[in-house]
Amino acid sequence: MKYFVLLAADGELPPWDKLAADEQEALMARFGAFDEACAARPGVEILSSEALGDGSTATTLRTRGGEMTITDGPFAEAAEQIGGFYLLEAPDLDTVIELCRVLPAYDIDIRPVPDMG
Amino acid sequence: MTSTSDPSPTWAEGPVERVFRTEWGRLLSLLVSRTRRLDLAEDALSEAFARASDRWPGEGMPADPAGWLYATAYRHVVGRLRAEAIAGRKAPLLAVRPGWVPPDEPAEVLADDRLQLILLCCHPALPSESRSALALRLVVGTSTEQIARLFLVPPATMAARLTRAKKKIVLAGIPLGAPLADELRVRLDEVCRTIYLAFTAGYTPGTGPDLLRADLAGDAVRLGALLHGLVPDAPQVRAMLALLVLQHSRRDARQRDGRLVTLIDQDRSRWHHDEIRAGLGLAAGLEPGKGYAEELRLQALIAAEHARAPTAAATDWSAIAGHYAALEALTGSAIVRLNRAVAVAEAEDPRAGLDLLASLDTVLPDSHRVAAVRAELAQRVGDLDIARTSYRRAIDLCANEVERDHLRAQLEALPPPGSEVTSRGRRS
């Protein structure tokens, strides 16, 4: 099954740019450990993953009454902190949850990607 | 996807009902593990029980009722799978954990996969109100209508809730397969919360004939007993079962003439003393522990103190207050503090109880129970003005008509200013 794993919010972690260099390194190490944990797991593959640009670099498109409006910033305040995503192939939800424990303690949103085939 | 024929003991009486009660969960878990189709397994087993209900009264019971039911249900599933294949439809299967092995072809003894099914139903990724309902439906076999009654919602609401939960299990890939050791302990905590939720739902006051649904709370007790049989060494499960059995033993004393009867006022001859003995036995074997297991153990010990007192006056309130103090230290719960206030009022004096209540108004501003307890304690120390104000506040805040009537009666029974009579009325 495919899963979309969204690093949705900082949780209790300070924002990235408020962290000291060594704290950032520690978090980077956890991202590395996640990649290794996925590689080591049967049936798991990281299909795609990216860190996202800061919320301040976002642009939102909204269409209402047929008119599209373009504005600065993410679509909602809650979306300010979205930091990145993974698209994973994994056999089941519990496998994904276990692997996510290796990631930094962000708020994480896990969605199954339905097989449209 | 929802089962249209919900077998319930009301339309299948006598021997079929008995087989239903003992075999539904075990057969369903086995079918689910063999086929990985939650929807088909439930429908097929319901069909098999319907057929048994039609045929066994006339033809007599088969020598191996469980085997007959399993074979009938399995044939039904195979038929449905064939129809799906012909129609070119392929429904998704339940995910399985790596290393999961399907159960062997059934031999003489049908395997017991109920723990897997319980863990599936109680997965934390499911909404909490759905987990209790699903566990009762799939593992105990409680009908959707009865579960709706238990949770005081319309049957259509409950049916939709169950359907959504079953869909989520499949679409999100919640797997079959036992978790690893540490994870199992955490998952069992969640299962115990789920079962306890189902149990307490039966004692949440409703209205009229459904004031309490003790019979359905009993289904939660059965689920707890079943789980204890499957994982006898799990401390939180044993503590939960002790607690449920002890609380449930009071069921026939908790209401009279359409009103709730508080614990102090209950007719103890209506308590089920054989069940109390069983509950006390379970509680006696509990070792001090940590976390949720320890919470449950302390609650079980409190229930044990009430259960072993031959009369209300003989209750060891000091022991109870001690357990509540430990529970409050563990959980920081305001509700625990409230209950502790009641115990301390009995063990020491009502003023000490009132002192403990002082901090709760900010934490539980809308609780009618805080106001009601304050009213009773104030009445006992002779603060009748506070008692009156507090009863009125409790009546304003209370959502349940029967409880409100009880509080109104308490308010009306207050002596007019100047006289000095005590009365009682506490939790049931």
Side-chain angles (χ1 to χ4, degrees):
Chain A
M1 290 186 60
K2 286 216 275 278
Y3 289 91
F4 182 72
V5 176
L6 182 69
L7 309 185
D10 290 328
E12 288 182 337
L13 289 170
W16 184 261
D17 53 2
K18 296 282 190 290
L19 292 168
D22 60 330
E23 289 170 317
Q24 288 182 347
E25 253 180 63
L27 291 192
M28 287 308 300
R30 293 188 77 153
F31 285 115
F34 178 78
D35 287 350
E36 283 166 22
C38 288
R41 275 291 187 119
V44 175
E45 192 189 337
I46 300 179
L47 301 172
S48 161
S49 77
E50 301 289 353
L52 301 188
D54 187 71
S56 62
T57 62
T59 305
T60 298
L61 309 178
R62 264 189 203 88
T63 302
R64 301 284 183 273
E67 292 262 328
M68 184 194 280
T69 314
I70 305 169
T71 46
D72 167 52
F75 69 91
E77 225 178 279
E80 267 292 336
Q81 297 179 350
I82 295 178
F85 72 88
Y86 293 89
L87 186 64
L88 293 185
E89 176 65 46
D92 66 274
L93 180 64
D94 284 352
T95 299
V96 177
I97 293 171
E98 277 166 36
L99 290 165
C100 285
R101 289 186 197 280
V102 179
L103 287 169
Y106 294 123
D107 291 350
I108 295 174
D109 188 326
I110 301 173
R111 302 287 180 99
V113 177
D115 183 6
M116 296 301 204
Chain B
M1 201 172 171
T2 335
S3 171
T4 50
S5 51
D6 252 351
S8 108
T10 51
W11 61 247
E13 288 177 14
V16 182
E17 178 191 14
R18 204 174 320 124
V19 173
F20 178 87
R21 281 190 172 281
T22 53
E23 301 294 350
W24 167 270
R26 204 164 65 92
L27 292 174
L28 185 63
S29 357
L30 191 54
L31 281 167
V32 168
S33 297
R34 289 282 317 281
T35 64
R36 291 170 60 184
R37 291 287 301 271
L38 206 47
D39 52 341
L40 287 191
E42 191 188 344
D43 282 351
L45 191 57
S46 297
E47 255 310 303
F49 272 100
R51 203 166 298 178
S53 217
D54 286 339
R55 291 169 52 173
W56 292 0
E59 297 173 13
M61 296 256 294
D64 176 12
W68 187 98
L69 287 160
Y70 182 84
T72 305
Y74 193 72
R75 264 199 310 277
H76 188 90
V77 173
V78 169
R80 290 276 298 268
L81 288 173
R82 199 172 292 134
E84 282 179 2
I86 289 168
R89 282 182 293 122
K90 196 163 180 286
L93 300 176
L94 284 174
V96 293
R97 303 193 63 128
W100 177 86
V101 174
D104 292 333
E105 284 294 314
E108 267 113 51
V109 181
L110 295 172
D112 191 343
D113 272 357
R114 281 176 296 186
L115 182 59
Q116 296 219 13
L117 191 59
I118 292 173
L119 290 170
L120 193 74
C121 294
C122 298
H123 195 283
L126 294 171
S128 61
E129 65 272 8
S130 300
R131 289 179 232 156
S132 312
L134 200 59
L136 287 176
R137 176 78 205 104
L138 296 186
V139 186
V140 177
T142 314
S143 74
T144 305
E145 289 71 29
Q146 295 287 58
I147 300 172
R149 217 181 115 233
L150 173 67
F151 286 100
L152 301 173
V153 300
T157 303
M158 185 53 72
R161 197 177 283 177
L162 288 169
T163 300
R164 273 196 306 271
K166 285 182 277 185
K167 278 205 167 99
K168 178 160 183 189
I169 288 175
V170 177
L171 292 176
I174 294 174
L176 281 177
L180 311 168
D182 272 353
E183 208 199 313
L184 178 62
R185 194 184 43 76
V186 173
R187 294 289 310 279
L188 284 176
D189 280 359
E190 221 25 76
V191 175
C192 287
R193 277 181 232 272
T194 300
I195 295 176
Y196 194 63
L197 190 70
F199 178 77
T200 54
Y203 291 109
T204 303
T207 55
D210 279 349
L211 178 60
L212 299 178
R213 278 90 47 222
D215 53 334
L216 295 171
D219 277 8
V221 181
R222 283 178 50 218
L223 182 56
L226 199 155
L227 181 64
H228 179 61
L230 295 169
V231 284
D233 295 329
Q236 72 276 68
V237 177
R238 185 186 173 121
M240 175 203 60
L241 184 59
L243 179 59
L244 295 193
V245 168
L246 288 168
Q247 290 184 336
H248 196 55
S249 70
R250 307 200 292 258
R251 60 191 174 281
D252 290 330
R254 294 181 69 146
Q255 54 179 342
R256 193 167 52 230
D257 303 327
R259 310 183 79 131
L260 296 170
V261 183
T262 53
L263 180 62
I264 310 290
D265 295 329
Q266 285 173 13
D267 175 1
R268 298 192 178 205
S269 72
R270 297 174 69 97
W271 288 3
H272 291 256
H273 293 281
D274 52 341
E275 293 172 21
I276 288 176
R277 267 191 298 279
L280 291 176
L282 285 164
L286 295 170
E287 303 273 333
K290 303 183 306 224
Y292 191 55
E294 181 62 7
E295 268 185 64
L296 289 170
R297 187 186 76 99
L298 290 166
Q299 289 194 44
L301 292 179
I302 291 164
E305 287 300 335
H306 286 299
R308 68 165 54 98
T311 61
T315 309
D316 187 348
W317 285 106
S318 184
I320 292 176
H323 294 319
Y324 272 125
L327 194 53
E328 190 185 344
L330 187 59
T331 64
S333 157
I335 300 286
V336 170
R337 170 162 277 231
L338 177 61
N339 290 326
R340 185 177 158 216
V342 172
V344 163
E346 297 293 338
E348 299 172 29
D349 66 80
R351 279 254 168 255
L354 280 166
D355 287 343
L356 280 173
L357 287 183
S359 60
L360 290 181
D361 290 315
T362 39
V363 183
L364 297 173
D366 298 326
S367 166
H368 72 274
R369 279 202 67 218
V370 174
V373 171
R374 175 172 289 122
E376 291 158 21
L377 296 182
Q379 181 174 358
R380 283 163 66 189
V381 300
D383 279 342
L384 295 181
D385 287 335
I386 294 182
R388 264 179 227 107
T389 319
S390 300
Y391 273 126
R392 285 193 193 107
R393 180 150 177 78
I395 289 162
D396 277 342
L397 290 170
C398 182
N400 179 270
E401 194 53 51
V402 175
E403 283 189 281
R404 261 215 304 282
D405 283 347
H406 176 83
L407 289 166
R408 278 195 200 102
Q410 296 285 101
L411 175 59
E412 273 151 41
L414 279 179
S419 52
E420 203 179 21
V421 172
T422 55
S423 82
R424 299 175 325 225
R426 258 159 250 113
R427 46 189 281 270
S428 54

